[in-house]
Amino acid sequence: MPPVGTIHEGALPKGLRLTASDRPGQAQPVPTRDIPTRPWRAIALAALIVMVACVAGWEIWARSAGLRTADIGDSPQKWAEMRASVKPDDLVIVGDSRILFDTDLAHFQRLTGVYPKQLAIHGTNGRNLLENIAADPAYRGLLLVGMADTSYFRPVKAGAGVGAPWIDGYERNREPSQVTGLTLDRWLQQLFAFLDEDMRLSRLLSRVDHGWRKGVDSPYDDVWKVDESFPGRQRFMWGEIEKPGYLQTQARLAWGYFKGDPGTPQGIAEVIARSRTAVTGIRARGGEVIFIRPPSAPPLRVNEEKRLPKAKAWEALLAQVPAKGIHADDLPAAQGLDIPEYSHLSRTCATVFTDAYVRRLVTLNDRVRLRADAPPPLSTANCKGQLAGAPLRPN
Amino acid sequence: MIFNSLTFVVFFAIVLALHNLPFSWRQKKLNLLVASYLFYAAWNPPFVILLWVSTVVDWWAAQWMVRSERQSTRRAWMIISVVVNLGMLGYFKYGNFLLENFTLAVNAAGIAYQPHKWDIILPVGISFYTFATLSYTLDVYLRRAQPAKHFLDYALFVTFFPHLVAGPIMRPTELVPQFEQPRRASANMILFGLTLLTIGLFQKVVIADGLLSPIAESVFDSPKVPLTLDAWAGVLAFAGQIFCDFAGYSTSAIGIALALGFAMPDNFRFPYAAVGFSDFWRRWHITLSSWLRDYLYIPLGGNRHGPARTYMALMGTMLLGGLWHGAAWTFVVWGGLHGLYLSVERWLKGRFGGWRPTKAQLFGLAILTFMAINVTWVFFRAKTFAGAGTILASMAGHAPGGVPLLPGFDLLAAFTVIAAIFLSHWAMRDTTLEAVIQRTSAWVLAPLLGLMAFLVIIEQGRGNAFIYFAF
């Protein structure tokens, strides 16, 4: 039965109304829209109650899974906002998830008085970000380029990975609607724990597939949530991954122990050549670049070394590019750190590693110095328990 | 801004509140006009200038057309309007495409020429508002419609935010009269409008973006050759994605307008239940297909000058319709295929016009139509002809070196969702959404709507733009 008030023209089947396709070559009249005669107020109220109840249940479930409102998430818009805030003399960090998760920005600030602009992106090739900064004609600051070798020396044609749309979408993500959306998102993220990329319905649904089809990687084997995000694009490993158990094991398996094809000499040479061009450009404007290689656990490191031996990749890079480097192997205070899922440091060990590399950093350049009131050096022992220190404080 | 964004939620709440305050009708229209400009400027503020240019040029062109007694003057103003509108559309949308093809052509002729690439940004929705505003001057020129009495009403017709960037493509005669008299949505209109908005967002955020888009991407954006099963799943997923994306936008737009007290026309009428291709185009993107029919196909001769001219008009219209969707030859082929389908159907109807199919035969023809439509979607979605060829070959069972691309869940999701869409379209092909809601129990409607809203929220759409924004 059509709604009351339905206006029918012509000889359409009962229940249909005419559209422009039924009236060729004529001025189209003001459209008619039927309003079904239903108890709309009661329906709306009941629908609202159902929606609120379901959202409340979902929120309780998310919190019981270990998600927190303090975790405000990261996004291309946040990256674009940070990228836009970079001033010519700023200290900037680029790279992949290792330098992103393994750097404690507040501790960096406690040591040096500088809160770096964190521009690293998970799943991304740091070289692309180095080139992005190098393409900025105004930039002449200190740029720290973090790397997981297998990511940094990925063939040039492979692109920037996860970060490609973040980098390419920079202009779009600075549009007024994106900026206002980001502001609202920040507010909501502080209220609801379920507003997490990894809690998206479609993402959870796809994970019910535990390898149903042979020959295809199951989404279940992909990395799920491994980190938390805080203001200033500070990201740390998620506490649930640090606990032995299913999530930690799953995260370890997700990395596949970094097995893969070895880097080719041509590929390595091309990456080094591109890096040299980018670094030379920054140095020509008075800037400086320092590479940093955070640690990885032995089960991964052995495969990383097979694919990209330190002498052929890291050392060749430093030999051919006008930049210095800090390798985790060369930092005594950064040995034996806790790397729960083999690729990224635990929350507290990230602070210890930051402490170690910043103390080395200040010896390699004169742009950042240790503050006179800098806290004493940390050691592996500080990885245990909760570290004291100022709360996270972005500029 | 887009409907599936937090910014829009706040924007719409403010607009709705303002619209229901006791302002004068003129003030309410001014509020809507300013809101519409803000809605558009939220993407790229300078492009509002293009909207103004279109609005002002067409307003004056229509005014001068009416004031002039001479046909040549009327024609001159119509041509000015067409040139200005299509000129802007041509530059912003087809500038790079034309330059690339010109370069290819002269290089093929042996002339070494390599121009600097133009860095042209496509203004959002330019194809939509250009067609809307063009229909105004064309209707006035064809004496189908009187010009708007007030500039404010006309400017609001062009800019009215629910239809501005992705349709439905409205004609001035459909909307301008609605601005002439005060209109106020009743509580039921507002609540039903919000119901439509919820349904539209569910289609877009949950089905199109959440479930189907990643499946289509996995197949179309992979450098590997898909197995036959994967190719079909990818294409069917795209068929579902583009419908839910675009119909979701139209449903949302209609709901938003309704909540403000305005009626917008249907843009989709369960298109995957179409039996034949002319039926498909009476159900898919109705406001575009009828626009092309009224302002292109009929002026090209339509069916008034014999079969040959009819087929030429049909092909010309569909080829240009393809190009309207995107500045690439793949879109032209997509349009050409539809033109071919329509031509073949027309010829068959001429030969077998007396045949009356049974219900079962109709269902079979609907499946056949749907499958043929899927072939065209390959050209719509693939970025290159090589990519389209690979997918089509795999669909036909020829997949040398093919590998499985989709996990089991994706296969299940693609086939289940598309079956649900197809069957629901079939079940509703001779009715309307409103008629179905009318006979559905409130005890079913309420939890269903609540659940849809909940699913939209937990899918947390990342504000992905609607596919048709790029057109």
Side-chain angles (χ1 to χ4, degrees):
Chain A
M1 184 182 70
V4 175
T6 304
I7 298 171
H8 297 287
E9 306 166 64
L12 277 180
K14 193 178 179 187
L16 278 187
R17 55 179 168 256
L18 291 189
T19 66
S21 64
D22 305 304
R23 307 183 199 98
Q26 56 180 278
Q28 302 299 324
V30 171
T32 54
R33 293 230 67 91
D34 312 320
I35 310 295
T37 49
R38 312 301 299 145
W40 284 112
R41 288 172 201 266
I43 289 172
L45 182 65
L48 189 67
I49 290 169
V50 168
M51 185 193 78
V52 170
C54 288
V55 169
W58 195 257
E59 175 69 8
I60 291 167
W61 182 59
R63 290 187 188 214
S64 70
L67 275 75
R68 305 185 297 154
T69 52
D71 174 7
I72 58 168
D74 197 8
S75 67
Q77 290 76 20
K78 284 182 182 166
W79 185 86
E81 182 187 55
M82 182 69 79
R83 179 68 186 85
S85 75
V86 171
K87 297 184 182 68
D89 294 310
D90 276 348
L91 194 159
V92 174
I93 300 175
V94 296
D96 47 58
S97 57
R98 286 205 186 145
I99 198 72
L100 183 60
F101 299 176
D102 296 354
T103 297
D104 181 338
L105 299 169
H107 193 68
F108 201 117
Q109 188 181 35
R110 281 194 288 275
L111 291 171
T112 65
V114 176
Y115 194 94
K117 296 280 169 67
Q118 178 59 276
L119 288 177
I121 304 173
H122 66 279
T124 294
N125 182 334
R127 178 189 54 75
N128 288 78
L129 288 163
L130 162 64
E131 291 180 339
N132 178 268
I133 299 292
D136 180 350
Y139 186 73
R140 54 173 189 268
L142 174 60
L143 179 67
L144 308 183
V145 183
M147 72 161 72
D149 320 52
T150 48
S151 175
Y152 191 84
F153 287 96
R154 198 185 294 161
V156 171
K157 67 178 179 187
V162 172
W166 296 42
I167 300 167
D168 299 340
Y170 170 70
E171 294 293 343
R172 181 182 172 272
N173 291 323
R174 294 294 299 153
E175 289 170 355
S177 59
Q178 300 284 329
V179 173
T180 51
L182 181 57
T183 306
L184 294 166
D185 185 60
R186 278 204 174 100
W187 174 65
L188 286 173
Q189 293 266 13
Q190 290 169 16
L191 299 176
F192 299 104
F194 78 83
L195 291 176
D196 187 300
E197 184 75 16
D198 290 301
M199 282 293 288
R200 287 181 68 180
L201 172 69
S202 54
R203 186 147 167 71
L204 294 175
L205 276 179
S206 68
R207 288 174 59 78
V208 303
D209 178 352
H210 287 211
W212 295 347
R213 192 178 184 206
K214 283 184 181 170
V216 186
D217 292 334
S218 165
Y220 184 73
D221 298 328
D222 283 348
V223 183
W224 195 59
K225 183 173 178 62
V226 286
D227 70 298
E228 292 184 310
S229 303
F230 304 96
R233 291 202 73 241
Q234 172 66 68
R235 289 172 65 170
F236 284 125
M237 175 169 286
W238 185 31
E240 298 298 313
I241 299 289
E242 295 187 12
K243 299 174 190 167
Y246 158 72
L247 283 170
Q248 187 184 79
T249 308
Q250 200 269 348
R252 286 177 179 175
L253 292 173
W255 301 128
Y257 292 91
F258 273 47
K259 290 176 183 169
D261 296 331
T264 63
Q266 297 87 341
I268 294 171
E270 191 180 5
V271 168
I272 291 176
R274 294 279 291 253
S275 304
R276 185 169 55 239
T277 304
V279 172
T280 304
I282 292 172
R283 286 177 62 88
R285 296 193 293 268
E288 198 167 349
V289 177
I290 293 179
F291 289 94
I292 299 174
R293 203 300 191 177
S296 50
L300 286 194
R301 183 69 190 277
V302 65
N303 290 318
E304 290 177 311
E305 193 62 26
K306 275 183 198 165
R307 292 169 65 184
L308 291 155
K310 190 177 174 186
K312 291 183 178 172
W314 170 259
E315 288 171 7
L317 175 77
L318 294 187
Q320 297 176 50
V321 172
K324 294 169 182 165
I326 301 170
H327 198 292
D329 290 354
D330 306 325
L331 299 172
Q335 304 308 305
L337 296 175
D338 183 22
I339 311 178
E341 37 71 284
Y342 298 156
S343 189
H344 306 93
L345 293 166
S346 67
R347 161 71 187 86
T348 47
C349 279
T351 307
V352 175
F353 175 67
T354 304
D355 189 83
Y357 89 68
V358 170
R359 288 176 195 281
R360 175 64 59 87
L361 178 70
V362 296
T363 67
L364 296 179
N365 79 99
D366 53 9
R367 289 167 187 264
V368 280
R369 294 183 185 145
L370 276 189
R371 290 164 57 137
D373 59 350
L378 301 175
S379 70
T380 313
N382 295 104
C383 281
K384 309 298 176 200
Q386 193 69 36
L387 279 169
L392 296 170
R393 185 157 42 87
N395 286 344
Chain B
M1 75 189 74
I2 51 182
F3 294 163
N4 57 324
S5 67
L6 289 171
T7 306
F8 181 76
V9 173
V10 174
F11 167 86
F12 185 52
I14 294 170
V15 171
L16 198 56
L18 277 175
H19 199 65
N20 283 286
L21 288 176
F23 291 124
S24 68
W25 181 237
R26 181 181 159 75
Q27 184 59 50
K28 285 185 179 184
K29 287 192 288 187
L30 279 171
N31 290 344
L32 286 177
L33 186 67
V34 171
S36 298
Y37 280 126
L38 283 175
F39 176 85
Y40 195 73
W43 274 288
N44 197 329
F47 283 147
V48 169
I49 294 168
L50 296 180
L51 263 178
W52 286 336
V53 170
S54 258
T55 306
V56 171
V57 167
D58 291 334
W59 166 259
W60 283 111
Q63 291 294 314
W64 286 108
M65 262 189 254
V66 170
R67 289 175 197 180
S68 174
E69 306 259 321
R70 294 168 55 193
Q71 181 61 14
S72 57
T73 310
R74 288 169 51 77
R75 185 179 294 119
W77 280 108
M78 183 271 287
I79 289 170
I80 287 171
S81 163
V82 170
V83 167
V84 169
N85 284 292
L86 293 187
M88 288 195 296
L89 181 64
Y91 173 76
F92 285 101
K93 187 163 179 173
Y94 303 104
N96 278 325
F97 177 68
L98 291 172
L99 186 66
E100 282 168 19
N101 283 283
F102 176 74
T103 307
L104 281 175
V106 294
N107 288 349
I111 303 167
Y113 171 67
Q114 198 56 51
H116 288 292
K117 191 168 168 54
W118 290 352
D119 195 14
I120 302 173
I121 300 171
L122 180 69
V124 171
I126 189 169
S127 306
F128 287 89
Y129 71 72
T130 298
F131 271 30
T133 184
L134 259 182
S135 66
Y136 175 67
T137 42
L138 291 173
D139 274 358
V140 171
Y141 174 75
L142 294 167
R143 300 183 196 277
R144 283 182 193 153
Q146 292 295 313
K149 295 186 184 82
H150 304 288
F151 180 75
L152 175 59
D153 292 351
Y154 174 68
L156 191 51
F157 152 70
V158 177
T159 320
F160 190 47
F161 71 88
H163 79 96
L164 175 61
V165 292
I169 300 170
M170 294 192 74
R171 312 284 180 90
T173 46
E174 290 176 310
L175 196 49
V176 170
Q178 299 190 53
F179 297 136
E180 289 172 352
Q181 299 296 325
R183 294 173 77 94
R184 183 170 180 181
S186 64
N188 279 356
M189 280 171 79
I190 293 175
L191 292 174
F192 184 57
L194 295 177
T195 297
L196 291 178
L197 177 60
T198 306
I199 293 169
L201 289 179
F202 175 77
Q203 285 181 291
K204 161 67 178 169
V205 175
V206 180
I207 301 182
D209 287 353
L211 284 175
L212 299 177
S213 165
I215 301 171
E217 275 173 27
S218 297
V219 173
F220 279 95
D221 297 347
S222 171
K224 298 172 183 167
V225 177
L227 293 178
T228 298
L229 185 67
D230 297 73
W232 271 106
V235 175
L236 291 171
F238 181 67
Q241 182 200 351
I242 193 161
F243 169 74
C244 289
D245 184 284
F246 194 19
Y249 188 92
S250 293
T251 306
S252 302
I254 291 166
I256 289 162
L258 198 61
L260 292 167
F262 301 98
M264 283 173 43
D266 289 331
N267 210 18
F268 288 86
R269 195 197 268 165
F270 310 110
Y272 288 149
V275 176
F277 306 100
S278 53
D279 189 26
F280 177 77
W281 281 106
R282 289 163 64 88
R283 295 169 176 275
W284 179 276
H285 203 174
I286 294 165
T287 56
L288 172 71
S289 57
S290 59
W291 196 102
L292 292 172
R293 177 201 61 204
D294 288 351
Y295 301 109
L296 199 58
Y297 174 72
I298 293 175
L300 283 173
N303 56 4
R304 306 185 308 278
H305 302 284
R309 180 82 175 266
T310 300
Y311 290 124
M312 280 178 63
L314 210 48
M315 283 306 291
T317 302
M318 295 314 292
L319 288 170
L320 285 171
L323 201 57
W324 177 89
H325 283 84
W329 289 109
T330 45
F331 286 110
V332 178
V333 170
W334 172 79
L337 266 178
H338 273 284
L340 189 67
Y341 287 169
L342 287 166
S343 300
V344 170
E345 180 184 286
R346 190 177 184 83
W347 181 79
L348 286 173
K349 276 183 177 170
R351 286 202 56 145
F352 305 102
W355 182 52
R356 295 284 174 269
T358 62
K359 187 89 177 170
Q361 286 169 331
L362 271 180
F363 188 71
L365 287 172
I367 292 176
L368 198 62
T369 306
F370 180 58
M371 290 300 154
I373 297 293
N374 276 297
V375 171
T376 70
W377 286 139
V378 174
F379 289 97
F380 198 95
R381 177 60 176 81
K383 293 188 175 79
T384 62
F385 284 113
T390 302
I391 302 279
L392 285 171
S394 292
M395 287 166 75
H398 180 68
V403 290
L405 291 177
L406 297 170
F409 177 82
D410 285 2
L411 288 177
L412 184 70
F415 289 113
T416 307
V417 172
I418 205 68
I421 291 174
F422 180 82
L423 291 174
S424 62
H425 281 208
W426 182 255
M428 296 172 76
R429 75 187 300 269
D430 290 330
T431 185
T432 60
L433 179 65
E434 288 85 346
V436 173
I437 289 175
Q438 177 74 31
R439 58 175 180 258
T440 304
S441 161
W443 292 102
V444 175
L445 282 176
L448 198 61
L449 280 172
L451 197 62
M452 277 189 196
F454 165 65
L455 293 176
V456 168
I457 291 169
I458 65 168
E459 177 54 29
Q460 309 168 38
R462 290 281 128 185
N464 291 334
F466 290 80
I467 293 176
Y468 267 65
F469 280 13
F471 301 150

